[in-house]
Amino acid sequence: MRTKTFIILLATLFFGGISTQVLAEDYRNLEELKLTTPTMDPCLTIGETRNYIPELELSVLPTTTESNAYQLTWMRTNPGVEPYKVMDDLTFAGVPIFVAGIIAKSEKKSFRQNTEGNKHTLLTDFKTHIDDYSQFFGPVVTTGLKIAGVEGRSDWGRYLASTAMSYGIMAIFVNSIKYTAKEMRPDGSTANSWPSGHTATAFVGATLLHKEYGMTRSPWFSVAGYGVATATGVMRVLNNRHWVSDVLSGAGIGIMSGELAYALSDVLFKGRGLLRGDITADKSIIDHPSFFSISMGIGMGSRNLTFDMTKLNLTNFDGDNKLNMKFGASTAVGAEGAYFFNKYIGVGGRLRVNSSPIKGWDGIEEYAWKDLVGSLYGDDYAANPDFQRFIDGDENSSPLIDDAYFTIKSDHLTEFSADLGLYFNLPLSSRFALGSKLLVGRSIMQELDLNATVTGGKRTLDFMDLVGGVDDENLLLKAKPTAGKYTSEWDYFTLSCNNTMKFGTGISLTYAYKENYAWRLFLDYDFSHKTYTMNYNPAVFAFDAISLGVGDESATIRSMMEPGDLEEFIETQQVKKNRHTFILGGSFTISF
């Protein structure tokens, strides 16, 4: 009521000012008053309105009334919005993504954490909780836009029904498979890994945002939704909570659930509750193929790395003194775009992250414990009291190694790549097209890293023993157990790869289900020549455990080392390999 009064007061002042100005102008340049007598024709008019004189129309400020204010409606239908056709709105894009997850299940064996025992526990250092919240990005944004009064595809009743059916269908699919397959998670926590519920939830929400606002307002709503959903799936893998297969299948279920729910709404409600139709483009994505896309895929192919451990006197489970490592199925996500000069050829680029788990290096955990403990005992441990005291300590000191555990800083070799090149398009029909590309770019690799942390009792070596002609084998026996403990942490095992140029190509099949929207299946191939470097360093703890003393003064051997001295004790090996990567995946594509 106060608002109405305030607006009326403003209008009164405004029009009062106008009328005052008009009256003042009337008194300028007055002419002589002339009196004329109007001609009056008597007539009777029935049912006819007075003639409208536009010059006498007054513009008034708009006032907010209850009749034109935003109202919360349930099943309002705007005129002119045509009902959606069920089959035209179903893309079935989730089906091949779900199948790709099934294919990836055979490739999923990679490094598992071993939490048995308290002497060689393996822990994962990477952890983020962002994926616990990003899975709800789609419904939060969609509902927020509706609360703000931004019209989308559906009114509240139809939107809530579609949302409820989407999550209901997804929950039935996910939980029925989870508790039937009983797949163990990578971290060994529970047997309900496949498929990923977080990823399925994220892609359901992305489909809601796509249907409500991406298709009716701007395609960038769709890009945002599917982009965040893709990032959620990647974080589930990096958190060691899911395999690649779990994420792919979860994404497929999420897309299928959302599309099925909206198809059911089209059948149940027909044209009721529709506020906006699809935005239309003046060009087809097939004939004008300039595009931007976000993609998710699985890296296929077998690549092995073998390092000779003979020099270190280590034997793996096969007994051949070789450390055999193999790339597992990788998770690949990317953004790609191209501008086409015509319907056949264009230029563009791609950004991609391809994260590959490494299988076989879990044997290094067996080496670790043998190196840190077993090699210290030697053959004469039982017959040598000095050596026993050095290892086990005495009543006044702790054992040399009281506890040891290993932290996985990174259990994937992750490639970050940027590529530029030519893109090709061959229209097959009004909805389908074949595509290809020739790319060149740069490949940057993040290393695989295992850190060790060892605690135990300190040992002190008298400086005079270093100049007394004691041979190396008996030198450690001169180090006496002392009170106090040490903690040593260092890079125990790393596998790195140099940054190089890379070359890529690929083939794709595009299905344009709307004028400016498409789903794309692709198979990409990338080639690069890499040098893989293994650094293996099991003995650093000894430099922290043993101090060199002169009288009452002592300092750890590590603290007295110069920078670079430690590298002499690191076993370094290099292997040069051609890196061949095949990536099978799907992408959500918009035209521009």
Side-chain angles (χ1 to χ4, degrees):
M1 193 65 184
R2 291 180 179 177
T3 304
K4 278 187 177 182
T5 305
F6 180 68
I7 294 175
I8 294 172
L9 178 60
L10 285 178
T12 303
L13 292 174
F14 176 73
F15 291 114
I18 293 176
S19 61
T20 302
Q21 181 67 24
V22 171
L23 291 173
E25 294 290 343
D26 290 344
Y27 286 98
R28 298 178 183 177
N29 302 322
L30 292 178
E31 297 180 357
E32 182 179 353
L33 179 64
K34 295 180 180 180
L35 181 63
T36 59
T37 304
T39 302
M40 301 180 65
D41 296 330
C43 63
L44 179 64
T45 302
I46 300 176
E48 186 177 2
T49 60
R50 295 181 179 180
N51 292 333
Y52 175 67
I53 304 177
E55 289 78 4
L56 298 180
E57 181 182 13
L58 293 178
S59 298
V60 298
L61 294 175
T63 58
T64 303
T65 63
E66 293 182 0
S67 60
N68 61 15
Y70 170 72
Q71 297 180 2
L72 180 65
T73 57
W74 184 252
M75 196 63 77
R76 179 165 58 94
T77 304
N78 284 340
V81 181
E82 297 182 1
Y84 284 86
K85 296 180 181 179
V86 176
M87 295 309 298
D88 287 346
D89 215 28
L90 276 173
T91 68
F92 302 98
V95 176
I97 299 177
F98 178 80
V99 172
I102 297 177
I103 296 173
K105 283 175 63 65
S106 61
E107 296 272 340
K108 71 181 180 55
K109 293 181 180 180
S110 62
F111 193 89
R112 289 176 180 262
Q113 294 181 34
N114 185 353
T115 57
E116 296 179 1
N118 60 358
K119 292 297 184 183
H120 49 281
T121 300
L122 289 163
L123 304 172
T124 299
D125 189 58
F126 180 88
K127 184 64 179 177
T128 180
H129 293 285
I130 296 176
D131 50 340
D132 292 330
Y133 306 101
S134 61
Q135 61 175 321
F136 302 114
F137 175 82
V140 168
V141 172
T142 307
T143 305
L145 289 170
K146 288 193 173 294
I147 292 175
V150 181
E151 284 187 350
R153 168 174 171 156
S154 312
D155 200 14
W156 278 103
R158 186 171 180 139
Y159 166 66
L160 293 176
S162 300
T163 301
M165 287 189 290
S166 296
Y167 284 100
I169 294 171
M170 181 272 295
I172 292 173
F173 271 115
V174 169
N175 289 296
S176 60
I177 297 175
K178 268 182 179 290
Y179 297 103
T180 301
K182 296 181 179 180
E183 194 74 54
M184 183 63 66
R185 294 181 184 270
D187 61 4
S189 59
T190 54
N192 59 348
S193 185
W194 182 66
S196 168
H198 278 66
T199 308
T201 300
F203 273 88
V204 165
T207 304
L208 293 177
L209 184 58
H210 167 62
K211 294 285 190 181
E212 290 293 330
Y213 290 100
M215 295 177 64
T216 64
R217 288 282 184 177
S218 169
W220 296 107
F221 284 111
S222 304
V223 172
Y226 285 116
V228 173
T230 300
T232 301
V234 173
M235 284 186 283
R236 297 305 287 168
V237 175
L238 296 180
N239 274 336
N240 214 24
R241 294 289 291 165
H242 282 288
W243 308 102
V244 178
S245 58
D246 306 338
V247 168
L248 290 174
S249 294
I253 289 175
I255 295 172
M256 286 191 295
S257 299
E259 290 195 344
L260 284 174
Y262 270 81
L264 287 174
S265 291
D266 293 337
V267 172
L268 295 174
F269 301 112
K270 295 181 170 51
R272 290 184 299 132
L274 290 177
L275 302 181
R276 294 179 68 92
D278 290 348
I279 53 177
T280 58
D282 57 356
K283 54 188 178 182
S284 168
I285 196 173
I286 299 298
D287 294 327
H288 297 79
S290 297
F291 73 93
F292 174 83
S293 68
I294 53 174
S295 63
M296 174 183 286
I298 175 174
M300 310 293 288
S302 177
R303 300 167 300 279
N304 296 299
L305 293 174
T306 301
F307 295 97
D308 190 353
M309 310 299 282
T310 305
K311 182 179 177 181
L312 301 176
N313 195 26
L314 299 174
T315 303
N316 69 356
F317 303 123
D318 297 329
D320 58 3
N321 293 322
K322 297 290 191 301
L323 180 61
N324 298 305
M325 292 185 288
K326 180 181 179 182
F327 289 76
S330 62
T331 308
V333 295
E336 192 170 12
Y339 174 77
F340 277 75
F341 307 110
N342 50 50
K343 67 172 66 176
Y344 301 110
I345 188 169
V347 294
R350 179 185 67 192
L351 296 174
R352 174 174 283 169
V353 179
N354 185 25
S355 185
S356 303
I358 306 299
K359 298 185 289 184
W361 73 288
D362 49 334
I364 205 68
E365 183 265 339
E366 288 291 326
Y367 304 147
W369 195 243
K370 292 177 182 177
D371 286 351
L372 291 177
V373 182
S375 62
L376 292 175
Y377 283 74
D379 297 333
D380 299 329
Y381 171 76
N384 192 325
D386 290 334
F387 200 75
Q388 292 181 32
R389 189 163 59 91
F390 175 79
I391 295 294
D392 299 334
D394 53 30
E395 64 276 3
N396 298 319
S397 62
S398 302
L400 177 64
I401 298 178
D402 189 39
D403 193 13
Y405 59 93
F406 302 88
T407 303
I408 306 170
K409 294 293 184 180
S410 173
D411 60 350
H412 289 64
L413 273 180
T414 302
E415 179 185 40
F416 303 88
S417 63
D419 306 277
L420 296 173
L422 296 174
Y423 283 75
F424 307 97
N425 179 67
L426 178 63
L428 300 178
S429 68
S430 61
R431 289 185 178 268
F432 289 93
L434 284 176
S436 185
K437 55 200 167 190
L438 292 173
L439 303 177
V440 60
R442 187 71 174 170
S443 169
I444 301 173
M445 301 291 289
Q446 181 189 36
E447 68 181 12
L448 179 149
D449 189 3
L450 177 66
N451 282 16
T453 302
V454 176
T455 61
K458 291 183 177 180
R459 303 292 186 265
T460 300
L461 181 65
D462 194 290
F463 179 78
M464 297 306 296
D465 289 333
L466 294 178
V467 296
V470 180
D471 57 54
D472 292 340
E473 293 183 1
N474 297 320
L475 181 60
L476 291 179
L477 303 184
K478 297 294 184 179
K480 299 177 177 57
T482 58
K485 303 192 72 173
Y486 72 92
T487 299
S488 183
E489 182 177 356
W490 74 100
D491 289 338
Y492 181 86
F493 177 86
T494 61
L495 179 63
S496 59
C497 187
N498 63 330
N499 303 328
T500 62
M501 297 293 292
K502 62 186 290 290
F503 304 92
T505 185
I507 188 170
S508 63
L509 176 65
T510 299
Y511 166 64
Y513 68 100
K514 296 291 182 182
E515 291 177 335
N516 52 351
Y517 293 97
W519 287 102
R520 177 172 293 159
L521 290 176
F522 64 86
L523 177 63
D524 287 351
Y525 168 74
D526 292 333
F527 169 83
S528 59
H529 185 70
K530 294 286 189 181
T531 299
Y532 297 91
T533 303
M534 180 201 73
N535 290 322
Y536 183 62
N537 184 18
V540 170
F541 76 99
F543 302 116
D544 290 319
I546 301 175
S547 298
L548 185 62
V550 179
D552 295 332
E553 301 294 330
S554 65
T556 64
I557 296 177
R558 188 176 185 182
S559 66
M560 294 185 291
M561 286 182 168
E562 296 292 333
D565 288 348
L566 198 59
E567 295 180 2
E568 299 180 8
F569 301 92
I570 300 176
E571 172 65 20
T572 300
Q573 294 186 35
Q574 291 186 336
V575 173
K576 294 183 178 181
K577 296 277 286 187
N578 290 330
R579 178 178 170 89
H580 304 276
T581 304
F582 293 90
I583 296 178
L584 174 65
S587 61
F588 173 78
T589 302
I590 63 170
S591 64
F592 63 85

